[in-house]
Amino acid sequence: MQALLAFENAPPLMAPFRFFITAPLFGVLAGLLLIVEGPSLFSSRWMPGTLAVTHLLTVGFMLQVMLGALVQIFPVVAGANLWRPLRLSAMLHSGLTLGTCLLAGGFYFGSPLLLSVAAGVLLLTALLILGATTHALIGVRSTSPTILGLKLALAGLAGVVGLGVLMAWGLAHGWPLPLPMLADLHAAWGLGAWAGVLLAAIAYVVVPMFQLTPGYPARPGWLFPCCMLLIVLLWSGAVFFDIPNMIRVVQGITALLGLAFAGLTLRLQLKRRRARADATYRYWQIGLAASIFALLMLLTAAMWPAASEIDGWTLFFGITLLAGGFVPFIIGMLYKIVPFLAWLHLQNQGQAKVVAPNMNKILSDADMQRQMKCYALAVVLLLGAVLFPEWLARPAGVAFALANGWLGFNLSLAISRYRKHSAEIALKLAAR
């Protein structure tokens, strides 16, 4: 089960790259904030600094890369050409970057004004991407699970942004909202219906293509995004009608769905045709292991709610799922997508007269492997800091900032090499 790819529809390189190169900077900011605040960030998920770090990671890093991926994937996978992709990317990138800085600042400084403005900016940015992608999708049939997943992920994006804006304005203006319950629901829309569905939709393409595995089976591929969106809708209904038992049931089903997807991906990876484990494969292994552990924690909490009241449980779960699960998946994909796109554009530029350099000459596996080890150490330190915050909080911040800075350096290096090879190809073509 693989979607047909139309690389001739690919947007200009800088349309997705501006998102990819910016995302690590927010990871660096999160690490620096951890160094400054130290152990206090691990005392509760409701600490201002903890909320700021969480949103630097989820909005600044994850959403930044995901919007860049959408700009690239929509025309190539779905045949849905976005209106003026370079201009659209510039507008989205500006709104998202500004909105994230304001949001993190609003949480950290406890500023109602910053929270209100951030919510408005991020709402406008979300409406822009939803409007552009919906317009592009008019007339596009769901001929593959990837296209269906992209469409349903947009509904997830609308849900997570809508709840986020509601809570931000509620905090800023003192509205009487059930914030803890809404925060859990906000996370379910963000990590389940949006990030989870989009990750699966992209995995259907990139895992078989880049890791040389068999394709995902068709039936689970079609069912996963539909079931995940339905479950999150049921979760929303349970919160709205205040039915705690139903919330626990849907939490458990969400965990089982995620475990099924992770298990299926592991099974496919066992059948891959490439023997050597490159950095992308290692990153996916880290992400799958951490996700499975986090989902087992979610399943445990659904069956035994008292578990979530254990000191450090929620923080350990959040760090495992975000820093250990989603972010490694995203970095693993970046490490394949960035050199591949650079190679693709160089190949097109060569017009079959000048051969593009191998992808390893754009971004070498040795560079990626070293950065991956640094990131893995950062995750271990972050998890250890939940248990021993006084000893490990600041070392974890240093490692996390270093790993993200290293990622940004590697991606910048790839762009620099792309430009160098592009200039060489232009000279060779001119000399003919």
Side-chain angles (χ1 to χ4, degrees), residues 91-142:
M91 294 167 68
L92 291 172
H93 178 258
S94 301
L96 185 57
T97 303
L98 175 63
T100 307
C101 292
L102 291 171
L103 186 65
F107 281 126
Y108 187 61
F109 297 111
S111 167
L113 177 61
L114 289 180
L115 282 177
S116 291
V117 177
V121 172
L122 291 173
L123 178 61
L124 289 175
T125 306
L127 289 175
L128 180 59
I129 185 66
L130 289 171
T133 49
T134 302
H135 180 264
L137 281 171
I138 293 174
V140 175
R141 295 174 55 210
S142 299

Side-chain angles (χ1 to χ4, degrees), residues 61-291:
F61 185 94
M62 290 174 55
L63 186 57
Q64 189 87 234
V65 176
M66 289 173 176
L67 288 194
L70 279 187
V71 170
Q72 175 65 34
I73 282 175
F74 256 72
V76 173
V77 174
N81 291 315
L82 297 170
W83 172 81
R84 297 189 179 182
L86 268 181
R87 180 176 295 185
L88 175 66
S89 298
M91 294 167 68
L92 291 172
H93 178 258
S94 301
L96 185 57
T97 303
L98 175 63
T100 307
C101 292
L102 291 171
L103 186 65
F107 281 126
Y108 187 61
F109 297 111
S111 167
L113 177 61
L114 289 180
L115 282 177
S116 291
V117 177
V121 172
L122 291 173
L123 178 61
L124 289 175
T125 306
L127 289 175
L128 180 59
I129 185 66
L130 289 171
T133 49
T134 302
H135 180 264
L137 281 171
I138 293 174
V140 175
R141 295 174 55 210
S142 299
T143 53
S144 74
T146 296
I147 298 176
L148 175 67
L150 291 175
K151 291 179 178 178
L152 295 184
L154 293 176
L157 178 62
V160 67
V161 172
L163 278 170
V165 169
L166 173 67
M167 287 193 294
W169 281 342
L171 276 172
H173 301 289
W175 296 346
L177 298 173
L179 288 174
M181 201 175 289
L182 285 179
D184 288 345
L185 185 60
H186 176 58
W189 275 95
L191 300 178
W194 160 239
V197 170
L198 183 63
L199 173 70
I202 297 176
Y204 297 156
V205 176
V206 300
V207 169
M209 178 177 173
F210 291 131
Q211 298 185 25
L212 300 182
T213 71
Y216 283 80
R219 184 171 295 177
W222 286 101
L223 285 177
F224 180 78
C226 299
C227 291
M228 187 59 81
L229 189 62
L230 177 63
I231 288 300
V232 178
L233 284 171
L234 287 173
W235 193 328
S236 306
V239 169
F240 185 79
F241 291 107
D242 192 18
I243 312 174
N245 288 339
M246 188 170 170
I247 293 175
R248 289 172 51 193
V249 170
V250 294
Q251 283 176 339
I253 297 174
T254 303
L256 290 173
L257 272 176
L259 286 168
F261 176 77
L264 178 58
T265 305
L266 274 176
R267 184 181 169 196
L268 293 177
Q269 287 187 328
L270 290 174
K271 298 179 180 177
R272 68 198 183 102
R273 299 191 299 278
R274 176 176 291 162
R276 192 172 65 86
D278 61 10
T280 295
Y281 178 75
R282 294 294 187 203
Y283 258 122
W284 270 77
Q285 292 287 296
I286 293 171
L288 286 169
S291 298

Side-chain angles (χ1 to χ4, degrees), residues 300-333:
T300 302
M303 295 188 295
W304 180 40
S308 60
E309 296 173 8
I310 297 173
D311 283 347
W313 178 280
T314 305
L315 282 173
F316 200 89
F317 168 75
I319 292 170
T320 306
L321 189 60
L322 286 176
F326 277 100
V327 173
F329 287 137
I330 290 171
I331 298 176
M333 286 197 265

